[in-house]
């Protein structure tokens, strides 16, 4: 299995540059002189059938709660350009140092978690409508 990422205008970061954080997770530090607004990731050799890589981003102070889910890449969708400026809050500003992480997941689990996430996001909207 091989995957890579890059900040547009910067060299490609190969899988070998990632540190393995656990059996199914890898991460890498990315630095740039200017704010990192975009990040591309792609699968460079096919993944096992039925699996995908969930992609995450974090900025300093790199705590467990600072990770943001970006999306996933898979054999069916082997590349993605993530628009990071939509991820950061005003508290985060526009970072020049980030950590990018991937987690190998079963596609069924990924789809189930996406449905849960959509329902969680929809619930506050429904509550606001009921208050009006």
């Amino acid at each position: 299995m091989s995957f890579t990422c890059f900040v547009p205008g910067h060299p490609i970061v190969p899988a070998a540059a990632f540190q393995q954080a656990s059996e199914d997770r890898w991460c890498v530090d990315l630095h740039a002189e200017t704010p990192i607004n975009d990040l591309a990731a792609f699968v460079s050799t096919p993944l096992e059938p039925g699996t995908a890589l969930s992609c995450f981003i974090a900025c300093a102070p790199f705590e467990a709660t600072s990770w943001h889910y970006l999306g996933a890449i898979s054999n069916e969708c082997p590349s993605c350009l993530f628009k990071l400026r939509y991820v950061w809050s005003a508290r985060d500003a526009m970072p020049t140092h980030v950590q990018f992480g991937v987690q190998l997941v079963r596609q069924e689990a990924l789809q189930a978690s996406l449905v849960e996430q959509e329902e969680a996001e929809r619930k506050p909207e429904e509550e606001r409508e009921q208050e009006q």
Side-chain angles (χ1 to χ4, degrees), residues 43-60:
V43 175
S44 51
T45 59
L47 300 171
E48 289 184 35
T51 62
L53 290 170
S54 290
C55 300
F56 300 88
I57 195 84
C59 66

Side-chain angles (χ1 to χ4, degrees), residues 102-113:
V102 296
Q103 179 179 11
L104 184 64
V105 296
R106 301 286 317 159
Q107 284 184 320
E108 298 86 24
L110 177 64
Q111 291 167 346
S113 66

Side-chain angles (χ1 to χ4, degrees), residues 92-105:
D92 297 322
M94 291 301 293
T96 58
H97 176 205
V98 299
Q99 287 182 340
F100 176 68
V102 296
Q103 179 179 11
L104 184 64
V105 296

Side-chain angles (χ1 to χ4, degrees), residues 65-81:
T65 58
S66 67
W67 287 93
H68 300 276
Y69 175 74
L70 297 173
I73 52 177
S74 64
N75 293 334
E76 294 76 25
C77 183
S79 65
C80 192
L81 176 63

Side-chain angles (χ1 to χ4, degrees), residues 8-128:
H10 295 271
I12 290 177
V13 179
F18 284 69
Q19 294 181 340
Q20 190 162 6
S22 68
E23 182 180 331
D24 61 351
R25 294 180 184 187
W26 299 264
C27 67
V28 66
D29 283 299
L30 301 172
H31 300 269
E33 292 181 20
T34 59
I36 299 174
N37 294 321
D38 302 300
L39 176 77
F42 58 94
V43 175
S44 51
T45 59
L47 300 171
E48 289 184 35
T51 62
L53 290 170
S54 290
C55 300
F56 300 88
I57 195 84
C59 66
F62 304 119
E63 299 168 342
T65 58
S66 67
W67 287 93
H68 300 276
Y69 175 74
L70 297 173
I73 52 177
S74 64
N75 293 334
E76 294 76 25
C77 183
S79 65
C80 192
L81 176 63
F82 301 110
K83 301 290 187 181
L84 302 180
R85 63 183 165 267
Y86 301 121
V87 172
W88 311 123
S89 68
R91 177 186 65 86
D92 297 322
M94 291 301 293
T96 58
H97 176 205
V98 299
Q99 287 182 340
F100 176 68
V102 296
Q103 179 179 11
L104 184 64
V105 296
R106 301 286 317 159
Q107 284 184 320
E108 298 86 24
L110 177 64
Q111 291 167 346
S113 66
L114 290 175
V115 169
E116 288 174 11
Q117 183 178 0
E118 287 176 9
E119 288 175 357
E121 290 173 356
R122 197 173 323 126
K123 186 174 182 177
E125 289 177 19
E126 291 171 357
E127 289 172 357
R128 281 194 300 269

